Amino acid sequence: MLDLEYFWNRLLLTLGVLLVLKPSGCVRTSDSRPNFLLLMADDLGIGDVGCYGNNTIRTPNIDRLAEDGVKLTQHISAAPVCTPSRAAFLTGRYPIRSGMVSSNGNQVLQWTGVSGGIPTNEMTFAKILKNKGYATGLIGKWHLGLNCDSAGDHCHHPLNHGFDHFYGMPFSLMGDCIQWEISEKRAGLEHRLNLCVQIVAFAALTLTVAKLIHLISIAWMPVIWSTAAAVLLFLTSYFVGVLIVHADCFLMRHHTITEQPMHFQRTTPLLLKEVSLFVQRNKHKPFLLFVSFLHVHTPLITTKNFCGKSLHGMYGDNIEEMDWMVGQILDTLDKEGLTQSTLVYFTSDHGGSLESQLGNNQYGGWNGIYKGGKGMGGWEGGIRVPGIFRWPGVLPAGRVIDEPTSLMDVYPTVVQLGGGQVPRDRVIDGQDLLPLLQGTTQHSSHEFLLHYCEDILHAARWHQRERGTVWKVHYMSPVFHPEGAGACYGKAVCPCSGEKVALHDPPLLYDLSRDPSEAHPLTPDMEPSFTQVLERVEQAVREHRRTLSPAPMQLDSGNVWKPWLQPCCGLFPLCWCDQEDDWQ
Ligand SMILES: *[C@@H]1O[C@H](CO)[C@@H](O)[C@H](O)[C@H]1NC(C)=O
């Protein structure tokens, strides 16, 4: 029955596509499956984009996607930070299922040289489409692990997870990647070490000279020891100052490091060139290209052309550059005649970071009317992100959908359109979006969405369709600092557990359909169905928990830096190389 329905849908879709692709266009006719171009920004807030209501940041290219496609206004990431959210995106499953969450406060992978990462037995949509004949590429950020046991086993590498082409950062942009953003703590440490090196080196030198000119008569041992101490301290300070700081800021093509450390002024042109070459190379077969931007994560690497151009400081400059990149990529599709045959998707991995500040400069994102931001699993600002789909002729242009959807929905949608089958041997939490996007159904298939912070359920959402209400129940939430602030200033992100997290008993209840900013918790007096709503959500949470099976937690013990796993393209610790000299 199901298969028949599936077949019928595919037939209709194929007919639709054939109608759209007029024979005169020299677009492929033998294979009606679309290409997929998935664009994911890093840490971009929903309030940072023109078509989501921002009137001072210029994002004409993203806005153009929305004009020509479908815009989702309640598009929710499965986690409020990078690693788990991206794991969920690629696997279509809550990250707790794959073990891509932490329980110890290390919410994301902290280094490249850790053993944790996306487990080999996970089935990404890239794996499925690759088996179905798609060329599959990932360009940009990964942040889902690299090695398991030895440097170079690359068990978590994108090429081991269904991508047949990879160019980008296995890790993530971090503040440390550029000198001026090195945290004060680290800078202070470096300073003290340098001072020690100097004192000890001076002592060794004095001793040596004094001994040589027979000013003092001591044995050679103290001289040798103090020299050895100076060398050791020097090496340590080198590690702290140079190696450790830049160790994770490198680019790779397939299995080879191409530059370490990275030269950031050329990273953007290099990534764009790679996208364009990938599209040209694969324009005759169906392809799936995941462009995972390094923008707009701190330290906000912006090329000179965009510096100082926006109304919102360094952060605004970086967004406007990313939007320009989106435009360049869409132009590439156009030039190759692939616009009609390509489903384009744009999103962000989670909400903007409110805690990121650099002096008076805006340094992190803006989540519009939504409360909270990156790192907050429960509040909308942490998880409600832009979501735009464009596929000319197949999806209506300019449509806006307010139904709850998830980034995990991309999984079944892409798999089925690509002619693959969603795995049946595991729970997949994403739902096929095509009927909703096309307008053949009015409602999202998600009745409930669960909102985790690490491995802890902070909140849950219930779309009570017959009433047209979206309820949100909060079981716990971080205590903001300073009091009355909207974030945990002074920390990188809010904690998910511990004494800085408030438990709500009874849980907080909001009606998101009337109060999207989560400003007014409801009470039993105000809301007669208060108790029933809580009970219904509680029941759904219980049912969800029954579907969980334990998985090794990749971000706990797997998140400890192991020097032997650290990729290095030189003689350790001198990790220097550059294969992009001819980049222009
Ligand atoms: C537009 O985005 C900038 C940058 O994040 C932000 O400072 C500003 O408040 C936003 N404006 C609106 C109207 O949302």
Side-chain angles (χ1 to χ4, degrees), residues 196-208:
C196 290
V197 173
Q198 280 157 17
I199 292 171
V200 177
F202 183 72
L205 194 71
T206 317
L207 282 179
T208 315

Side-chain angles (χ1 to χ4, degrees), residues 47-48 53-57 312 315 319 362 364-366:
D48 289 327
N54 200 304
N55 49 13
T56 45
I57 286 261
H312 295 285
Y315 184 76
I319 294 189
Q362 177 164 4
W366 172 250

